[in-house]
Amino acid sequence: MSDRNFVLEVEDLGVSFDGFKAVDGFNFYLNRNSVHVIIGPNGAGKTTVLDLICGKTRATSGSIRFKDRELRGTREYKIVRLGVGRKFQNPSIYENLTVLENLELSHPTGRGVFGCLFFRRTPEIMGKCLEIAEQIGLADKLDTEGGILSHGQKQWLEIGMLLMQNPEVIMLDEPVAGMSVRERQETSQLIRKISQNRSVIVIEHDMEFVKEIADRVTVMHMGKVISEGSMETVQNDPKVIEVYIGH
Amino acid sequence: MIFFRTLFKTKGEAISFAVFVALIAIILPLALPIFRLNLVGKYLSYGFVAIGLVLLWGRCGILSLGQGVFFGLGGYCMAMFLKLEASDPVSTSIQTTPGIPDFMDWNQITQLPWFWEPFKSFTFASCAVFLLPGLIAFIIGWAMFRRRVGGVYFAIITQAIALILSLGIDGNQGFTGGRNGITDLKTLLGWDIRTTGAQYTLYFLCVFLLLASALLAKYIINTRFGRVLMAMRDREDRVRFSGYDVAMCRTFVFALAAMLSGLGGALFVLQVGFMSPSLVGIIPSIEMVIFTAVGGRLSVIGAILGCLIVNFGKTAFSEAYPDAWLYLMGGTFIAVVMFFPDGLAGILDKSGTLKAKLSTLGTGLMKKLKPAESAEKASAAVAEIPKTAEP
Ligand SMILES: Nc1ncnc2c1ncn2[C@@H]1O[C@H](COP(=O)(O)OP(=O)(O)OP(=O)(O)O)[C@@H](O)[C@H]1O
Ligand SMILES: [Mg+2]
């Protein structure tokens, strides 16, 4: 199943922690320019899948191909530079830097030691920061320290930091956790918008939110895929219903 | 101008730097006799290590308990050169083998060991002073940071390296001078370094290089690299997943800190006139951390002042109570870490903002007071003065 259209192909992926198989025989194909949501009960292994793709955890079996390049065994920062960005489950931003500095530090120019030492804030970089700040709705908070943003704003800022790198694949781990209804709506618009020219993997529990954003849904349970397809197909799958009712 | 702004973020920073320059480059040389000034120069050579620790520990969160290793390596490189110059065949003609350092002769060594050969060259020795520590730190750092060794484990490993090196030097008297170290250093390219004039010159050389290093560190702290250092300390994963090579950044800082320490070691040797394993091991390495902590591990100038203050404290106090000094220093360190994690610089910073707050509060209050009333009070106070002064 090697269609040119898939930007990411994950096959037979597995990892075990001291014999406990957190992810097992996991297959996953990501279309270009689409939003693919992974759902599943707590402890299903969703976060672990993202950890495996971005190199944070080493897989024990399987392959992860990104545009025909094997990511397994590649160092984390190289995976990022290839074009795979990742947001963590708990918002992870630089608390004592301002919004602008957070974004600027995520700009891909000058990520080597000497690149950093001789980095200058050019008008292009500044323009890019402003553009992204506009997109994530923090344009009026450029000089605010990251630490005093609301929880939702922190989530957005982290998404903005990913966008600065202009990755082809963005992975968001529970991006609307702890957000108000309005913030959720804004986030779903944001995700729809950023998926126009890149693919987005989202992990989420909130079904309403999933319905709104998902092009495709994968349901995980105990480290395995139990169902995949459109939201409608998945919702009517007896296996899924069983897992969620049993839950 | 951009460069200047990268160095000093606020006016206060620029002013405190200027005050510091005035202190070590003008006031102390004018105020102190050369014997004391030479002592200041010795303490300032620890300042190079402290600058490195500000970058490494304060900014990047990596505590090394082995900076004495690099200080020592730099010092030994310089001492080896000076010792070879002092061991010319004429002045060592009474030895069994003239032309080699005296301690080798005492240990029945009849030929200069191969690794001493290149130190006949001043160019080689003065490059080795910082390149050798830098290279060794780079290798150690790369091996450890690649494997994500950090925190306490890193501190322990660096401490073990300090122990190994000091024991290694101590135990190989024939090659290294052993416990006594390398002593009786006389001239540098024919220039007698023991004269008063030379001591002044070397003091100013030390001050010049120290200020240059301090500016370099301040520059680094205020660049993107400096922000990456802090970011790695607080949010390592986020930095890594923003595409930075965290291991490489850390290795670079570690190597840079080592190079600065090596330079400090060389200046120590030039000013003090000897080098010994007691300056390489665990105790000096920990002392350097204490100087930095007391002065302020986030502040370049603070850390250098920490070296001066603690060492002068040590000199003054240990003359009176030699045994109590260690306890006092240990106690000071614990107190600083527990109550003033940013050291003296942090206290001054806070009192600076406190003063600013008080003065705005003060002017606010003054405005609230009726001007007439305050004028009345003032004149009353003035009228009071002669009365009290009279008897
Ligand atoms: N490094 C690890 N070592 C041991 N066990 C782990 C490790 N990482 C994850 N696990 C286990 O793997 C399982 C899957 O965890 P994971 O975090 O991927 O679940 P999740 O689907 O993201 O859950 P949630 O919805 O609660 O975030 C859990 O049982 C967890 O305890
Ligand atoms: Mg999770």
Side-chain angles (χ1 to χ4, degrees):
Chain A
M1 208 169 154
S2 192
D3 196 309
R4 292 298 108 180
N5 242 350
F6 295 130
V7 62
L8 190 72
E9 295 169 272
V10 176
E11 276 169 351
D12 195 33
L13 190 67
V15 68
S16 66
F17 299 117
D18 302 322
F20 167 70
K21 287 184 173 166
V23 173
D24 187 17
F26 183 81
N27 292 308
F28 182 85
Y29 301 91
L30 182 63
N31 284 312
R32 283 181 192 277
N33 307 335
S34 70
V35 180
H36 196 143
V37 182
I38 303 178
I39 60 172
N42 288 111
K46 306 179 297 289
T47 300
T48 309
V49 166
L50 296 198
D51 286 347
L52 291 169
I53 295 174
C54 71
K56 191 166 184 251
T57 305
R58 306 253 142 178
T60 37
S61 67
S63 77
I64 306 159
R65 301 185 66 75
F66 170 69
K67 297 194 296 179
D68 284 329
R69 223 197 114 118
E70 181 60 51
L71 293 188
R72 234 187 109 186
T74 311
R75 299 193 76 88
E76 293 102 317
Y77 74 94
K78 287 192 177 143
I79 295 178
V80 175
R81 291 181 186 185
L82 286 171
V84 180
R86 190 250 168 98
K87 189 188 108 43
F88 292 93
Q89 190 160 347
N90 300 317
S92 178
I93 56 162
Y94 310 124
E95 259 98 7
N96 40 18
L97 296 183
T98 65
V99 168
L100 179 64
E101 287 171 327
N102 266 282
L103 292 174
E104 189 192 69
L105 209 55
S106 312
H107 194 278
T109 308
R111 282 188 293 207
V113 170
F114 291 98
C116 285
L117 283 173
F118 299 110
F119 177 85
R120 289 268 163 256
R121 185 183 286 174
T122 63
E124 288 100 284
I125 292 173
M126 193 62 191
K128 180 83 186 166
C129 293
L130 291 178
E131 178 200 323
I132 301 290
E134 196 74 51
Q135 244 187 58
I136 56 174
L138 296 178
D140 55 341
K141 296 238 163 15
L142 283 178
D143 295 323
T144 309
E145 272 197 13
I148 56 176
L149 293 176
S150 75
H151 189 76
Q153 288 169 331
K154 283 183 188 166
Q155 302 263 37
W156 287 335
L157 178 56
E158 200 182 352
I159 296 177
M161 288 159 73
L162 296 184
L163 292 175
M164 287 299 293
Q165 302 161 19
N166 202 13
E168 279 177 70
V169 171
I170 283 191
M171 309 194 284
L172 305 175
D173 200 346
E174 309 204 4
V176 294
M179 277 190 184
S180 68
V181 179
R182 237 199 75 202
E183 285 176 325
R184 273 165 204 247
Q185 281 165 356
E186 283 175 42
T187 310
S188 81
Q189 278 163 16
L190 177 64
I191 291 177
R192 296 268 21 140
K193 196 161 161 226
I194 63 178
S195 69
Q196 276 164 15
N197 49 5
R198 60 172 62 80
S199 309
V200 186
I201 304 176
V202 182
I203 291 179
E204 202 34 78
H205 284 292
D206 178 349
M207 289 306 158
E208 285 309 308
F209 181 72
V210 175
K211 256 183 227 163
E212 252 170 68
I213 59 165
D215 293 314
R216 234 181 139 67
V217 178
T218 291
V219 187
M220 276 189 87
H221 182 49
M222 310 225 290
K224 289 186 167 41
V225 175
I226 56 166
S227 180
E228 206 199 295
S230 67
M231 185 68 187
E232 218 160 300
T233 335
V234 164
Q235 262 182 322
N236 298 320
D237 188 329
K239 275 191 276 179
V240 177
I241 295 169
E242 195 193 310
V243 165
Y244 271 90
I245 288 173
H247 185 58
Chain B
M1 195 59 208
I2 290 176
F3 191 74
F4 187 78
R5 273 208 215 107
T6 315
L7 285 174
F8 307 107
K9 272 205 165 151
T10 61
K11 217 169 155 190
E13 254 181 71
I15 291 171
S16 59
F17 189 78
V19 170
F20 176 69
V21 173
L23 176 73
I24 63 170
I26 301 168
I27 299 172
L28 290 180
L30 288 177
L32 297 179
I34 185 62
F35 161 71
R36 290 274 165 198
L37 191 68
N38 185 242
L39 222 48
V40 175
K42 171 178 157 184
Y43 304 154
L44 288 180
S45 68
Y46 301 142
F48 289 86
V49 184
I51 296 175
L53 278 169
V54 168
L55 292 172
L56 184 68
W57 181 36
R59 297 284 159 170
C60 198
I62 301 166
L63 176 59
S64 163
L65 294 180
Q67 291 309 90
V69 166
F70 307 116
F71 182 82
L73 284 173
Y76 268 97
C77 286
M78 184 49 78
M80 282 160 83
F81 170 78
L82 296 173
K83 187 67 187 173
L84 285 177
E85 193 175 304
S87 313
D88 63 291
V90 180
S91 42
T92 55
S93 56
I94 52 156
Q95 291 178 186
T96 322
T97 317
I100 63 171
D102 47 10
F103 56 82
M104 291 184 187
D105 199 59
W106 304 334
N107 285 274
Q108 285 83 44
I109 286 175
T110 53
Q111 206 198 346
L112 196 66
W114 61 269
F115 65 89
W116 274 75
E117 284 294 339
F119 288 94
K120 284 178 174 166
S121 150
F122 179 66
T123 321
F124 179 88
S126 44
C127 291
V129 153
F130 52 95
L131 291 184
L132 185 69
L135 181 71
I136 289 179
F138 194 91
I139 294 168
I140 296 172
W142 186 242
M144 300 227 260
F145 298 133
R146 207 61 319 183
R147 291 181 180 78
R148 308 261 164 94
V149 176
V152 182
Y153 299 99
F154 185 82
I156 292 172
I157 289 170
T158 48
Q159 190 164 71
I161 294 170
L163 183 65
I164 291 166
L165 187 70
S166 64
L167 290 180
I169 293 172
D170 202 327
N172 290 291
Q173 201 194 23
F175 297 130
T176 62
R179 180 157 308 169
N180 302 333
I182 299 182
T183 53
D184 285 331
L185 306 174
K186 300 186 174 88
T187 56
L188 173 78
L189 298 171
W191 174 55
D192 194 333
I193 58 172
R194 295 159 302 177
T195 63
T196 304
Q199 289 194 334
Y200 271 114
T201 311
L202 288 169
Y203 175 81
F204 284 110
L205 177 71
C206 179
V207 165
F208 174 76
L209 290 173
L210 186 71
L211 292 175
S213 306
L215 287 177
L216 176 74
K218 279 174 101 45
Y219 175 79
I220 289 176
I221 285 169
N222 290 330
T223 59
R224 181 185 206 173
F225 190 68
R227 290 193 287 279
V228 170
L229 292 187
M230 300 265 271
M232 285 193 309
R233 187 188 66 189
D234 302 333
R235 285 257 182 251
E236 183 178 337
D237 263 341
R238 186 65 270 161
V239 178
R240 186 171 287 128
F241 289 105
S242 293
Y244 290 95
D245 185 350
V246 170
M248 183 46 105
C249 291
R250 288 188 170 149
T251 307
F252 178 83
V253 183
F254 188 47
L256 182 68
M259 286 163 76
L260 289 171
S261 307
L263 190 58
L267 287 161
F268 175 92
V269 167
L270 285 171
Q271 295 181 89
V272 182
F274 77 95
M275 189 69 209
S276 86
S278 66
L279 291 152
V280 176
I282 290 180
I283 291 178
S285 298
I286 292 179
E287 277 183 329
M288 311 266 193
V289 170
I290 295 179
F291 305 156
T292 311
V294 170
R297 61 179 168 157
L298 290 174
S299 158
V300 174
I301 303 301
I304 300 173
L305 285 176
C307 295
L308 289 181
I309 293 167
V310 177
N311 277 295
F312 269 112
K314 181 178 178 171
T315 315
F317 198 82
S318 62
E319 272 164 20
Y321 316 95
D323 297 329
W325 166 248
L326 271 182
Y327 296 103
L328 181 72
M329 186 157 79
T332 313
F333 180 59
I334 293 171
V336 165
V337 169
M338 285 185 61
F339 304 112
F340 312 107
D342 295 338
L344 285 175
I347 297 172
L348 288 179
D349 245 17
K350 268 196 203 113
S351 72
T353 39
L354 197 71
K355 238 188 251 163
K357 268 186 200 151
L358 281 180
S359 72
T360 44
L361 199 74
T363 43
L365 278 177
M366 285 299 278
K367 272 182 199 157
K368 274 184 193 161
L369 283 177
K370 281 177 205 155
E373 201 177 281
S374 55
E376 242 173 54
K377 270 189 188 163
S379 57
V382 170
E384 206 71 8
I385 294 167
K387 277 186 206 160
T388 45
E390 212 128 46

